[in-house]
Amino acid sequence: RAAVAAAVAGAAGAGWLYLRRDKERRLRARRLRDLRALALGQGDFQLHDTSGTPRRKADFLGRWVLLYFGFTHCPDVCPEELEKLSRAVELLERDPALPPLQPLFVTVDPERDDAAALARYLRDFHPRLVGLTGTPEQVRAAAAAFRVYVSAGPPDADGDYVVDHSVLTFLVGPDGLFRDYYGRSRTAEEVAESVRRHMETYEPLPP
């Protein structure tokens, strides 16, 4: 009787575990379908990096990407967010079993942030952080693809101005699909843990 009871309990436990995993799989698949329906970040962008090399979103297919929109004259928020992004990448790099993660910074202030300005600014952050800029039209199109709000304020007497923009870091999967986003309240450790979970449970979504 004890053996039969144990067998029944084992079968019930295995059945429960299967149902739980199947439910989680279906929830992930539904969430991915919802993300694709949002079309967030699905559009391509045509920018160039600090060496002048043209870059499109398609160039980063096959890699995980952490993407932040900001500008080099930002007094405090952008440096804080880039420090956090860099720290999250460093935490994930400690695990060699995880796939590589590419950090990207797209300026929302192309009038002042040319390639040289970006190169100088990004030296203070992660060594693999790639900076992207372009014409005002190209930058607006890239921001619109991720639904990033951008609005330049009036210049002061010295011609300086602040650019108001959405403060979000986006996670893009190897298939180019938006997977998650992180606001100012998330710590580097929380971002790294979330990215890790996405990597470990990654399932490409069929076209």
Side-chain angles (χ1 to χ4, degrees), residues 1-137:
R1 291 181 180 178
V4 171
V8 170
W16 177 83
L17 184 60
Y18 170 81
L19 290 174
R20 178 182 175 184
R21 289 178 176 172
D22 183 64
K23 180 180 179 181
E24 291 174 349
R25 181 188 60 78
R26 286 186 284 107
L27 286 174
R28 285 198 305 271
R30 185 172 66 185
R31 183 171 183 272
L32 289 176
R33 287 195 299 270
D34 291 344
L35 290 175
R36 183 176 286 274
L38 285 173
L40 184 58
Q42 295 304 299
D44 200 359
F45 55 71
Q46 298 184 29
L47 301 167
H48 61 264
D49 61 23
T50 54
S51 66
T53 302
R55 296 287 193 132
R56 303 175 63 183
K57 196 180 77 170
D59 297 334
F60 300 97
L61 289 176
R63 283 179 281 177
W64 290 88
V65 171
L66 270 180
L67 169 64
Y68 178 77
F69 287 81
F71 64 111
T72 65
H73 286 72
C74 183
D76 46 28
V77 175
C78 293
E80 292 172 0
E81 290 302 294
L82 287 177
E83 286 283 1
K84 181 170 68 178
L85 183 153
S86 300
R87 173 64 176 164
V89 174
E90 290 171 357
L91 290 171
L92 291 162
E93 287 176 333
R94 294 178 181 178
D95 188 347
L98 294 177
L101 177 64
Q102 176 62 59
L104 292 182
F105 173 81
V106 176
T107 181
V108 295
D109 185 19
E111 299 288 352
R112 293 181 293 186
D113 291 345
D114 58 13
L118 279 181
R120 289 192 300 270
Y121 182 72
L122 297 181
R123 283 199 297 260
D124 294 332
F125 302 102
H126 194 279
R128 290 195 299 102
L129 179 59
V130 173
L132 301 177
T133 186
T135 67
E137 294 76 19

Side-chain angles (χ1 to χ4, degrees), residues 177-197:
L177 179 66
F178 163 78
R179 297 281 168 161
D180 216 331
Y181 66 91
Y182 311 104
R184 292 188 67 186
S185 64
R186 303 293 290 273
T187 66
E189 289 73 19
E190 289 172 337
V191 172
E193 182 56 32
S194 173
V195 173
R196 177 188 295 273
R197 289 197 302 269

